[in-house]
Amino acid sequence: MSAALETPAARPFMAAQGAAVLVILAIACLLVPAYASAWTIEAILLPFLAFSLAGLGLNLLTGYAGQVSLGSAAFMAVGAYAAYNFQLRLDLPLPLTFLFAALTAAAVGVIFGLPSLRLKGFYLAVSTLAAQFFIQWLFNKFGWFSNYSPSGVISAPVLGFAGITFDTRESRYLLALSVVVVITFLVHRFVNGPARINLIAVRDNETAARVIGVPVLRTKLTAFALSSAIIGIAGVLWSFTYLRTIEPEGFNLDRSFQILFIAIIGGLATVRGAFLGAGLIVVFPLLLSRGSAWILDGGLDAGTVQLTQRIILGATIIIFLILEPNGLSAILDRITARTRSLFAKITRGRA
Amino acid sequence: MTGLALTEPALLPERRAVAPQTVSAATRSQVQPVQGTRLRLEGISLAFGGIRALKDVSFDIREGEIRAVIGPNGAGKSSLVNVISGLYRADRGVITHGGESFAHVPPARLPGLGVARTFQNLALFPGLTVAQNIASGLVFRRKRGLFAQLLSLPKARAETRETEARIREIAGFLGLSEHLPRLVSTLPYGLQKQVELARALIAGPRLLLLDEPMAGLTGAEKTAMAAHIRAVRDRLGLSVILIEHDIGVVMGLSDRIVVLDHGEVIADGSPDEVRRDPEVIRAYLGQDAAGATSGAEAA
Amino acid sequence: MDWFEFLFAVEVAVGGLLSGVMYALVAIGFVLIYKTSGVLNFAQGAMVLFAALTFVSLVEREVPFALALVVTLVIMGLLGLAIERTVLRPLANRSPMTLFMATLGLAWVIEGGAQLIWGTQVHALDLGISNAPFEIGGIYISNFDLVAAAIALALVIVLTSFFRFTRTGLSFRAVADDTFAAIAIGLRLNRIQAAVWTAAGVVALVAGLLWGARLGVQFSLSLVVLKALPVLVLGGFDSIAGAIVAGLLIGASEKLAEVYIGPFVGGGIEGWFAYVVALAVLLIRPQGLFGHKITERF
């Protein structure tokens, strides 16, 4: 896309941003597998990648297309169970497993997105809870989905493709990383391409969009399909690379809220917001439990830490909505701008 | 589909100016069974609950005509625009766009019928730039699917280039060129109104519905907007329905005026006829009738 | 269907209707706030939990029943005021969806706070209402459910007459109908908002006590919102009458479905059945059963 239709916010820092992304990617691909501790990968990076992808998927729907969903975790579950069953029953190669899991989640997403054609706002948000409860119930009640595992908890099989098995920690990490990178790139292109107009038009003023001929219904359903597909893949990463088990309880309403909070705290309608939000959601509880251990000598019991986390996270949401509705992404923007002007001052001073 | 001829790429303002007659004549012969009538309303009635917003409203708009609809607050002006653009469903009556008659026009079909509108309280998309807002008026015509766009296939790229050329042209015409990359929400109100006009014009409509285009504008901006409306009609040859509150503007600008009061047409004619109509003076100007009439005569 | 099966169906339906009243009770807390603030207050369930936990903990600490009730009432009022001050006022003039998301965060804060203060263990709550079923014409009705429904109805009547006949209530209605006009005629919006949040706190307390006596006072009490939401959607967010009718409808259909459809699909459908009913109705009537028809201005 050339100049006239681009989003201005994306342009001034384009070069710097591109460079920053490359540096982060280089670190993530080369340094992390070689030097990161087992704990860093298992407890931080793997959940971070899955959460980022889920946040990205929801952001497409809520941030860009303006349709609030409270059922994200259900679509993660659909992706995870679909991948498990495609592997188990059809023995599909890995890329096809991902693709089919995404397509299954997209199809389910479209079905539960249908109410959005008639309902708006709160009514829609509430109706997405139907997906949350129905899908969780479905996987709980019907043993077929979990291959009649007596406990209901499946251990996810090791993924493999073209002679590579993703059994080590590092290989699982690299698999998750590459999936996230590819999808993020596609989403970035999608939301900065012509589709941006359709999405934002529907979000900002549905009536005007309809009158000028933006295909409102198609835009909404596309958003539901793509968002659910991406969240479904996030579910695959969550179950196969991070937890390596699958159970319906892992995809409950709290998980859905977590994903929504990632999108809000990170910054709605931004791609990097999902990553910033996911980083916060993953790192913050670790900091809190370590910090309390350090300050209170011996630390609080696990239950108290968990409740405190809940309170602080809930308060963080409120504070962000009040003080910085554009989320961490906007804060990062300000920091970048300030650093730049500082840097410019220093170089000018030297010259 | 009768709307087909209307969705031909709209001629650009400059080129259109050369031969507006021939073009509209061609269009007419293809899709107009009724010679020279762009829109016809017959017996439109609409009620909300017990309140009758429109009672048996009938009038027509000719090709290339600026047609004002005036009336005091609550006369049903906005309801009328919303019925024409399909946002409200009339309880009774027929709307004929070009050659096609409807009991209710599906809003999504409006661009295909060559109808574009603006809104009383701006209906722009604050999250988009000026250029993107204008481009949204062309979305309905986009042929390349989203995935072709995503992969940046050559045809999709050509389509984008074409769109951009059109945006520059229309922006130049309305004095918006320098603002194209800005977020529309950062523009002053008057310019936002222009952006909305640009968005309505970019697809080259045959009928433009302007719902209070002057509302909230300063004196100078009103003059500019009036000039734009006239230029649009003169150079593009399209028909304009002008819903207005400001009588002064309407008198100078329109060819014919419909006056609504309590949802009924109480007068219909040239500005001169309407200005002299005692019914209009009573309904529209109320107690101050005498003074305001002399004012209107003077203007 | 023979006579006994019929009686059984009636019994199920009556049980459903009675629990429907309890759903309606929670839903009314939402309606009160929605009507004045335009917010779907997701934290209503957390308030129910907070109220019940506070009350039961006071009683367990040997505070007399009546005093505990008064103290909890005061605390709920203060909580409502605090929410109005710290969350709603700074977010005034923001989109309803933003406010909704803020109440999601608020729900986490209140849930976490309630359990941090009073602990996470399950408390039994005995309101002194007998739970023995009694028989009318061959059907058994739970005494507790009947009393609970009666209390809920009484509360609804009190609230309705408050809003219909008192000065404060009337000004509340004025705000609900037209915020700008209400400001223009000099109604003090903040005070009214505070009053409404307090009222919502009272409703939460009553709901918390009744539900708490039924299910035990524990975290899952905050999940009664999930039961109330379909009721709300079905009845229309702004209608108290709608909440009651929808509550009855959903309570009865849910119980009947659980008994007659449940066995064929493995049971446990009450978690989502209400949503399906609500969605089905909404697809036909998007404004709900009693909500105002949405007429947008353009």
Side-chain angles (χ1 to χ4, degrees), chain A residues 97-129:
Chain A
T97 302
F98 272 103
L99 179 69
F100 280 34
L103 288 178
T104 311
V108 178
V110 167
I111 293 171
F112 283 98
L114 285 175
S116 76
L117 305 185
R118 299 269 329 241
L119 308 179
K120 280 182 203 164
F122 300 138
Y123 287 91
L124 178 66
V126 170
S127 79
T128 58
L129 283 173

PDB file of all heavy atoms in Angstrom, chain A residues 97-129:
ATOM      1  N   THR A  97      -2.360 -30.321  10.547  1.00  0.00           N
ATOM      2  CA  THR A  97      -3.032 -30.341  11.846  1.00  0.00           C
ATOM      3  C   THR A  97      -3.334 -28.917  12.302  1.00  0.00           C
ATOM      4  O   THR A  97      -4.445 -28.598  12.708  1.00  0.00           O
ATOM      5  CB  THR A  97      -2.138 -31.031  12.897  1.00  0.00           C
ATOM      6  OG1 THR A  97      -1.860 -32.352  12.442  1.00  0.00           O
ATOM      7  CG2 THR A  97      -2.835 -31.088  14.238  1.00  0.00           C
ATOM      8  N   PHE A  98      -2.319 -28.050  12.194  1.00  0.00           N
ATOM      9  CA  PHE A  98      -2.519 -26.644  12.553  1.00  0.00           C
ATOM     10  C   PHE A  98      -3.617 -26.022  11.700  1.00  0.00           C
ATOM     11  O   PHE A  98      -4.520 -25.354  12.207  1.00  0.00           O
ATOM     12  CB  PHE A  98      -1.220 -25.860  12.380  1.00  0.00           C
ATOM     13  CG  PHE A  98      -0.351 -25.875  13.605  1.00  0.00           C
ATOM     14  CD1 PHE A  98       0.769 -26.696  13.668  1.00  0.00           C
ATOM     15  CD2 PHE A  98      -0.650 -25.088  14.700  1.00  0.00           C
ATOM     16  CE1 PHE A  98       1.566 -26.722  14.800  1.00  0.00           C
ATOM     17  CE2 PHE A  98       0.142 -25.101  15.838  1.00  0.00           C
ATOM     18  CZ  PHE A  98       1.251 -25.926  15.892  1.00  0.00           C
ATOM     19  N   LEU A  99      -3.525 -26.270  10.385  1.00  0.00           N
ATOM     20  CA  LEU A  99      -4.490 -25.660   9.472  1.00  0.00           C
ATOM     21  C   LEU A  99      -5.905 -26.122   9.810  1.00  0.00           C
ATOM     22  O   LEU A  99      -6.829 -25.307   9.925  1.00  0.00           O
ATOM     23  CB  LEU A  99      -4.132 -26.030   8.028  1.00  0.00           C
ATOM     24  CG  LEU A  99      -5.075 -25.463   6.989  1.00  0.00           C
ATOM     25  CD1 LEU A  99      -4.921 -23.948   6.906  1.00  0.00           C
ATOM     26  CD2 LEU A  99      -4.835 -26.085   5.626  1.00  0.00           C
ATOM     27  N   PHE A 100      -6.075 -27.436   9.990  1.00  0.00           N
ATOM     28  CA  PHE A 100      -7.418 -27.956  10.237  1.00  0.00           C
ATOM     29  C   PHE A 100      -7.940 -27.519  11.600  1.00  0.00           C
ATOM     30  O   PHE A 100      -9.142 -27.260  11.750  1.00  0.00           O
ATOM     31  CB  PHE A 100      -7.434 -29.492  10.105  1.00  0.00           C
ATOM     32  CG  PHE A 100      -7.493 -29.952   8.673  1.00  0.00           C
ATOM     33  CD1 PHE A 100      -6.861 -29.239   7.665  1.00  0.00           C
ATOM     34  CD2 PHE A 100      -8.187 -31.091   8.320  1.00  0.00           C
ATOM     35  CE1 PHE A 100      -6.921 -29.651   6.354  1.00  0.00           C
ATOM     36  CE2 PHE A 100      -8.259 -31.511   7.002  1.00  0.00           C
ATOM     37  CZ  PHE A 100      -7.621 -30.792   6.017  1.00  0.00           C
ATOM     38  N   ALA A 101      -7.041 -27.454  12.578  1.00  0.00           N
ATOM     39  CA  ALA A 101      -7.479 -26.970  13.894  1.00  0.00           C
ATOM     40  C   ALA A 101      -7.974 -25.534  13.756  1.00  0.00           C
ATOM     41  O   ALA A 101      -9.011 -25.156  14.309  1.00  0.00           O
ATOM     42  CB  ALA A 101      -6.338 -27.047  14.898  1.00  0.00           C
ATOM     43  N   ALA A 102      -7.227 -24.734  12.972  1.00  0.00           N
ATOM     44  CA  ALA A 102      -7.628 -23.337  12.765  1.00  0.00           C
ATOM     45  C   ALA A 102      -8.965 -23.270  12.042  1.00  0.00           C
ATOM     46  O   ALA A 102      -9.847 -22.488  12.416  1.00  0.00           O
ATOM     47  CB  ALA A 102      -6.560 -22.601  11.962  1.00  0.00           C
ATOM     48  N   LEU A 103      -9.131 -24.117  11.028  1.00  0.00           N
ATOM     49  CA  LEU A 103     -10.386 -24.091  10.273  1.00  0.00           C
ATOM     50  C   LEU A 103     -11.565 -24.518  11.152  1.00  0.00           C
ATOM     51  O   LEU A 103     -12.643 -23.923  11.070  1.00  0.00           O
ATOM     52  CB  LEU A 103     -10.282 -25.018   9.056  1.00  0.00           C
ATOM     53  CG  LEU A 103      -9.386 -24.501   7.931  1.00  0.00           C
ATOM     54  CD1 LEU A 103      -9.307 -25.525   6.798  1.00  0.00           C
ATOM     55  CD2 LEU A 103      -9.904 -23.168   7.395  1.00  0.00           C
ATOM     56  N   THR A 104     -11.338 -25.532  11.985  1.00  0.00           N
ATOM     57  CA  THR A 104     -12.415 -25.963  12.886  1.00  0.00           C
ATOM     58  C   THR A 104     -12.808 -24.821  13.814  1.00  0.00           C
ATOM     59  O   THR A 104     -13.989 -24.508  13.973  1.00  0.00           O
ATOM     60  CB  THR A 104     -11.962 -27.167  13.728  1.00  0.00           C
ATOM     61  OG1 THR A 104     -11.383 -28.142  12.855  1.00  0.00           O
ATOM     62  CG2 THR A 104     -13.121 -27.774  14.473  1.00  0.00           C
ATOM     63  N   ALA A 105     -11.798 -24.190  14.412  1.00  0.00           N
ATOM     64  CA  ALA A 105     -12.090 -23.078  15.321  1.00  0.00           C
ATOM     65  C   ALA A 105     -12.795 -21.954  14.574  1.00  0.00           C
ATOM     66  O   ALA A 105     -13.727 -21.336  15.098  1.00  0.00           O
ATOM     67  CB  ALA A 105     -10.807 -22.572  15.970  1.00  0.00           C
ATOM     68  N   ALA A 106     -12.371 -21.695  13.330  1.00  0.00           N
ATOM     69  CA  ALA A 106     -13.005 -20.633  12.537  1.00  0.00           C
ATOM     70  C   ALA A 106     -14.474 -20.951  12.304  1.00  0.00           C
ATOM     71  O   ALA A 106     -15.343 -20.086  12.460  1.00  0.00           O
ATOM     72  CB  ALA A 106     -12.279 -20.462  11.209  1.00  0.00           C
ATOM     73  N   ALA A 107     -14.751 -22.227  11.961  1.00  0.00           N
ATOM     74  CA  ALA A 107     -16.145 -22.612  11.696  1.00  0.00           C
ATOM     75  C   ALA A 107     -16.991 -22.428  12.951  1.00  0.00           C
ATOM     76  O   ALA A 107     -18.092 -21.851  12.896  1.00  0.00           O
ATOM     77  CB  ALA A 107     -16.204 -24.057  11.216  1.00  0.00           C
ATOM     78  N   VAL A 108     -16.477 -22.895  14.084  1.00  0.00           N
ATOM     79  CA  VAL A 108     -17.220 -22.734  15.338  1.00  0.00           C
ATOM     80  C   VAL A 108     -17.379 -21.246  15.653  1.00  0.00           C
ATOM     81  O   VAL A 108     -18.437 -20.797  16.103  1.00  0.00           O
ATOM     82  CB  VAL A 108     -16.500 -23.473  16.490  1.00  0.00           C
ATOM     83  CG1 VAL A 108     -17.238 -23.256  17.801  1.00  0.00           C
ATOM     84  CG2 VAL A 108     -16.408 -24.962  16.188  1.00  0.00           C
ATOM     85  N   GLY A 109     -16.312 -20.477  15.378  1.00  0.00           N
ATOM     86  CA  GLY A 109     -16.365 -19.032  15.617  1.00  0.00           C
ATOM     87  C   GLY A 109     -17.454 -18.366  14.806  1.00  0.00           C
ATOM     88  O   GLY A 109     -18.170 -17.488  15.302  1.00  0.00           O
ATOM     89  N   VAL A 110     -17.599 -18.779  13.552  1.00  0.00           N
ATOM     90  CA  VAL A 110     -18.631 -18.175  12.707  1.00  0.00           C
ATOM     91  C   VAL A 110     -20.015 -18.490  13.259  1.00  0.00           C
ATOM     92  O   VAL A 110     -20.884 -17.623  13.335  1.00  0.00           O
ATOM     93  CB  VAL A 110     -18.493 -18.654  11.246  1.00  0.00           C
ATOM     94  CG1 VAL A 110     -19.721 -18.280  10.448  1.00  0.00           C
ATOM     95  CG2 VAL A 110     -17.243 -18.062  10.622  1.00  0.00           C
ATOM     96  N   ILE A 111     -20.194 -19.746  13.712  1.00  0.00           N
ATOM     97  CA  ILE A 111     -21.508 -20.122  14.257  1.00  0.00           C
ATOM     98  C   ILE A 111     -21.846 -19.243  15.462  1.00  0.00           C
ATOM     99  O   ILE A 111     -22.935 -18.672  15.543  1.00  0.00           O
ATOM    100  CB  ILE A 111     -21.522 -21.602  14.673  1.00  0.00           C
ATOM    101  CG1 ILE A 111     -21.404 -22.471  13.425  1.00  0.00           C
ATOM    102  CG2 ILE A 111     -22.799 -21.936  15.446  1.00  0.00           C
ATOM    103  CD1 ILE A 111     -21.201 -23.933  13.708  1.00  0.00           C
ATOM    104  N   PHE A 112     -20.877 -19.110  16.377  1.00  0.00           N
ATOM    105  CA  PHE A 112     -21.164 -18.300  17.562  1.00  0.00           C
ATOM    106  C   PHE A 112     -21.079 -16.805  17.259  1.00  0.00           C
ATOM    107  O   PHE A 112     -21.431 -15.976  18.095  1.00  0.00           O
ATOM    108  CB  PHE A 112     -20.243 -18.690  18.725  1.00  0.00           C
ATOM    109  CG  PHE A 112     -20.665 -19.958  19.389  1.00  0.00           C
ATOM    110  CD1 PHE A 112     -20.056 -21.161  19.066  1.00  0.00           C
ATOM    111  CD2 PHE A 112     -21.707 -19.959  20.299  1.00  0.00           C
ATOM    112  CE1 PHE A 112     -20.474 -22.342  19.664  1.00  0.00           C
ATOM    113  CE2 PHE A 112     -22.122 -21.140  20.904  1.00  0.00           C
ATOM    114  CZ  PHE A 112     -21.503 -22.333  20.578  1.00  0.00           C
ATOM    115  N   GLY A 113     -20.600 -16.462  16.070  1.00  0.00           N
ATOM    116  CA  GLY A 113     -20.577 -15.062  15.662  1.00  0.00           C
ATOM    117  C   GLY A 113     -21.885 -14.635  15.020  1.00  0.00           C
ATOM    118  O   GLY A 113     -22.145 -13.449  14.875  1.00  0.00           O
ATOM    119  N   LEU A 114     -22.702 -15.623  14.635  1.00  0.00           N
ATOM    120  CA  LEU A 114     -23.954 -15.282  13.953  1.00  0.00           C
ATOM    121  C   LEU A 114     -24.837 -14.319  14.749  1.00  0.00           C
ATOM    122  O   LEU A 114     -25.411 -13.405  14.159  1.00  0.00           O
ATOM    123  CB  LEU A 114     -24.733 -16.555  13.612  1.00  0.00           C
ATOM    124  CG  LEU A 114     -24.162 -17.359  12.430  1.00  0.00           C
ATOM    125  CD1 LEU A 114     -24.930 -18.659  12.254  1.00  0.00           C
ATOM    126  CD2 LEU A 114     -24.216 -16.543  11.143  1.00  0.00           C
ATOM    127  N   PRO A 115     -24.946 -14.478  16.082  1.00  0.00           N
ATOM    128  CA  PRO A 115     -25.770 -13.508  16.813  1.00  0.00           C
ATOM    129  C   PRO A 115     -25.304 -12.063  16.613  1.00  0.00           C
ATOM    130  O   PRO A 115     -26.096 -11.132  16.716  1.00  0.00           O
ATOM    131  CB  PRO A 115     -25.614 -13.925  18.277  1.00  0.00           C
ATOM    132  CG  PRO A 115     -25.286 -15.372  18.223  1.00  0.00           C
ATOM    133  CD  PRO A 115     -24.485 -15.554  16.964  1.00  0.00           C
ATOM    134  N   SER A 116     -24.008 -11.880  16.286  1.00  0.00           N
ATOM    135  CA  SER A 116     -23.502 -10.511  16.133  1.00  0.00           C
ATOM    136  C   SER A 116     -24.182  -9.799  14.974  1.00  0.00           C
ATOM    137  O   SER A 116     -24.133  -8.585  14.856  1.00  0.00           O
ATOM    138  CB  SER A 116     -21.995 -10.520  15.901  1.00  0.00           C
ATOM    139  OG  SER A 116     -21.706 -10.917  14.578  1.00  0.00           O
ATOM    140  N   LEU A 117     -24.821 -10.563  14.093  1.00  0.00           N
ATOM    141  CA  LEU A 117     -25.499  -9.915  12.978  1.00  0.00           C
ATOM    142  C   LEU A 117     -26.754  -9.197  13.453  1.00  0.00           C
ATOM    143  O   LEU A 117     -27.224  -8.277  12.806  1.00  0.00           O
ATOM    144  CB  LEU A 117     -25.855 -10.960  11.917  1.00  0.00           C
ATOM    145  CG  LEU A 117     -24.660 -11.776  11.425  1.00  0.00           C
ATOM    146  CD1 LEU A 117     -25.067 -12.701  10.293  1.00  0.00           C
ATOM    147  CD2 LEU A 117     -23.528 -10.868  10.959  1.00  0.00           C
ATOM    148  N   ARG A 118     -27.313  -9.645  14.594  1.00  0.00           N
ATOM    149  CA  ARG A 118     -28.500  -8.963  15.097  1.00  0.00           C
ATOM    150  C   ARG A 118     -28.222  -8.212  16.390  1.00  0.00           C
ATOM    151  O   ARG A 118     -28.931  -7.279  16.722  1.00  0.00           O
ATOM    152  CB  ARG A 118     -29.642  -9.966  15.379  1.00  0.00           C
ATOM    153  CG  ARG A 118     -30.134 -10.738  14.207  1.00  0.00           C
ATOM    154  CD  ARG A 118     -31.295 -10.135  13.436  1.00  0.00           C
ATOM    155  NE  ARG A 118     -32.282  -9.322  14.116  1.00  0.00           N
ATOM    156  CZ  ARG A 118     -33.552  -9.636  14.168  1.00  0.00           C
ATOM    157  NH1 ARG A 118     -33.985 -10.763  13.657  1.00  0.00           N
ATOM    158  NH2 ARG A 118     -34.397  -8.817  14.732  1.00  0.00           N
ATOM    159  N   LEU A 119     -27.232  -8.668  17.161  1.00  0.00           N
ATOM    160  CA  LEU A 119     -27.044  -8.109  18.497  1.00  0.00           C
ATOM    161  C   LEU A 119     -25.808  -7.232  18.550  1.00  0.00           C
ATOM    162  O   LEU A 119     -24.841  -7.447  17.836  1.00  0.00           O
ATOM    163  CB  LEU A 119     -26.885  -9.232  19.520  1.00  0.00           C
ATOM    164  CG  LEU A 119     -27.965 -10.294  19.515  1.00  0.00           C
ATOM    165  CD1 LEU A 119     -27.662 -11.338  20.557  1.00  0.00           C
ATOM    166  CD2 LEU A 119     -29.316  -9.664  19.762  1.00  0.00           C
ATOM    167  N   LYS A 120     -25.869  -6.261  19.452  1.00  0.00           N
ATOM    168  CA  LYS A 120     -24.737  -5.350  19.597  1.00  0.00           C
ATOM    169  C   LYS A 120     -24.357  -5.220  21.063  1.00  0.00           C
ATOM    170  O   LYS A 120     -25.151  -5.515  21.945  1.00  0.00           O
ATOM    171  CB  LYS A 120     -25.122  -3.961  19.093  1.00  0.00           C
ATOM    172  CG  LYS A 120     -25.062  -3.826  17.597  1.00  0.00           C
ATOM    173  CD  LYS A 120     -25.420  -2.408  17.199  1.00  0.00           C
ATOM    174  CE  LYS A 120     -25.906  -2.388  15.770  1.00  0.00           C
ATOM    175  NZ  LYS A 120     -26.584  -1.168  15.451  1.00  0.00           N
ATOM    176  N   GLY A 121     -23.159  -4.716  21.266  1.00  0.00           N
ATOM    177  CA  GLY A 121     -22.733  -4.297  22.599  1.00  0.00           C
ATOM    178  C   GLY A 121     -22.881  -5.368  23.653  1.00  0.00           C
ATOM    179  O   GLY A 121     -22.411  -6.484  23.493  1.00  0.00           O
ATOM    180  N   PHE A 122     -23.571  -4.995  24.756  1.00  0.00           N
ATOM    181  CA  PHE A 122     -23.712  -5.905  25.885  1.00  0.00           C
ATOM    182  C   PHE A 122     -24.416  -7.190  25.484  1.00  0.00           C
ATOM    183  O   PHE A 122     -24.053  -8.272  25.928  1.00  0.00           O
ATOM    184  CB  PHE A 122     -24.535  -5.255  26.995  1.00  0.00           C
ATOM    185  CG  PHE A 122     -23.947  -3.997  27.521  1.00  0.00           C
ATOM    186  CD1 PHE A 122     -24.739  -2.910  27.800  1.00  0.00           C
ATOM    187  CD2 PHE A 122     -22.591  -3.916  27.746  1.00  0.00           C
ATOM    188  CE1 PHE A 122     -24.194  -1.746  28.297  1.00  0.00           C
ATOM    189  CE2 PHE A 122     -22.038  -2.759  28.246  1.00  0.00           C
ATOM    190  CZ  PHE A 122     -22.847  -1.669  28.519  1.00  0.00           C
ATOM    191  N   TYR A 123     -25.434  -7.048  24.653  1.00  0.00           N
ATOM    192  CA  TYR A 123     -26.194  -8.228  24.273  1.00  0.00           C
ATOM    193  C   TYR A 123     -25.284  -9.232  23.580  1.00  0.00           C
ATOM    194  O   TYR A 123     -25.346 -10.427  23.824  1.00  0.00           O
ATOM    195  CB  TYR A 123     -27.355  -7.841  23.354  1.00  0.00           C
ATOM    196  CG  TYR A 123     -28.484  -7.147  24.079  1.00  0.00           C
ATOM    197  CD1 TYR A 123     -28.522  -5.760  24.196  1.00  0.00           C
ATOM    198  CD2 TYR A 123     -29.505  -7.874  24.663  1.00  0.00           C
ATOM    199  CE1 TYR A 123     -29.550  -5.123  24.872  1.00  0.00           C
ATOM    200  CE2 TYR A 123     -30.548  -7.257  25.335  1.00  0.00           C
ATOM    201  CZ  TYR A 123     -30.564  -5.880  25.434  1.00  0.00           C
ATOM    202  OH  TYR A 123     -31.582  -5.261  26.112  1.00  0.00           O
ATOM    203  N   LEU A 124     -24.407  -8.714  22.738  1.00  0.00           N
ATOM    204  CA  LEU A 124     -23.484  -9.610  22.043  1.00  0.00           C
ATOM    205  C   LEU A 124     -22.478 -10.204  23.022  1.00  0.00           C
ATOM    206  O   LEU A 124     -22.209 -11.408  23.004  1.00  0.00           O
ATOM    207  CB  LEU A 124     -22.750  -8.855  20.927  1.00  0.00           C
ATOM    208  CG  LEU A 124     -21.733  -9.712  20.196  1.00  0.00           C
ATOM    209  CD1 LEU A 124     -22.419 -10.821  19.430  1.00  0.00           C
ATOM    210  CD2 LEU A 124     -20.885  -8.877  19.259  1.00  0.00           C
ATOM    211  N   ALA A 125     -21.944  -9.355  23.891  1.00  0.00           N
ATOM    212  CA  ALA A 125     -20.953  -9.831  24.854  1.00  0.00           C
ATOM    213  C   ALA A 125     -21.538 -10.981  25.672  1.00  0.00           C
ATOM    214  O   ALA A 125     -20.891 -12.001  25.885  1.00  0.00           O
ATOM    215  CB  ALA A 125     -20.517  -8.683  25.770  1.00  0.00           C
ATOM    216  N   VAL A 126     -22.786 -10.803  26.099  1.00  0.00           N
ATOM    217  CA  VAL A 126     -23.421 -11.857  26.886  1.00  0.00           C
ATOM    218  C   VAL A 126     -23.634 -13.108  26.034  1.00  0.00           C
ATOM    219  O   VAL A 126     -23.436 -14.231  26.496  1.00  0.00           O
ATOM    220  CB  VAL A 126     -24.756 -11.358  27.478  1.00  0.00           C
ATOM    221  CG1 VAL A 126     -25.526 -12.518  28.082  1.00  0.00           C
ATOM    222  CG2 VAL A 126     -24.499 -10.296  28.536  1.00  0.00           C
ATOM    223  N   SER A 127     -23.992 -12.901  24.767  1.00  0.00           N
ATOM    224  CA  SER A 127     -24.264 -14.078  23.949  1.00  0.00           C
ATOM    225  C   SER A 127     -22.984 -14.875  23.677  1.00  0.00           C
ATOM    226  O   SER A 127     -23.047 -16.079  23.450  1.00  0.00           O
ATOM    227  CB  SER A 127     -24.959 -13.688  22.637  1.00  0.00           C
ATOM    228  OG  SER A 127     -24.013 -13.194  21.731  1.00  0.00           O
ATOM    229  N   THR A 128     -21.809 -14.221  23.727  1.00  0.00           N
ATOM    230  CA  THR A 128     -20.583 -14.984  23.519  1.00  0.00           C
ATOM    231  C   THR A 128     -20.296 -15.898  24.713  1.00  0.00           C
ATOM    232  O   THR A 128     -19.535 -16.854  24.594  1.00  0.00           O
ATOM    233  CB  THR A 128     -19.360 -14.070  23.320  1.00  0.00           C
ATOM    234  OG1 THR A 128     -19.214 -13.216  24.449  1.00  0.00           O
ATOM    235  CG2 THR A 128     -19.471 -13.245  22.059  1.00  0.00           C
ATOM    236  N   LEU A 129     -20.938 -15.580  25.859  1.00  0.00           N
ATOM    237  CA  LEU A 129     -20.785 -16.488  26.999  1.00  0.00           C
ATOM    238  C   LEU A 129     -21.409 -17.844  26.678  1.00  0.00           C
ATOM    239  O   LEU A 129     -21.003 -18.867  27.243  1.00  0.00           O
ATOM    240  CB  LEU A 129     -21.459 -15.895  28.240  1.00  0.00           C
ATOM    241  CG  LEU A 129     -20.690 -14.783  28.946  1.00  0.00           C
ATOM    242  CD1 LEU A 129     -21.545 -14.180  30.041  1.00  0.00           C
ATOM    243  CD2 LEU A 129     -19.404 -15.315  29.530  1.00  0.00           C
TER     244      LEU A 129
END
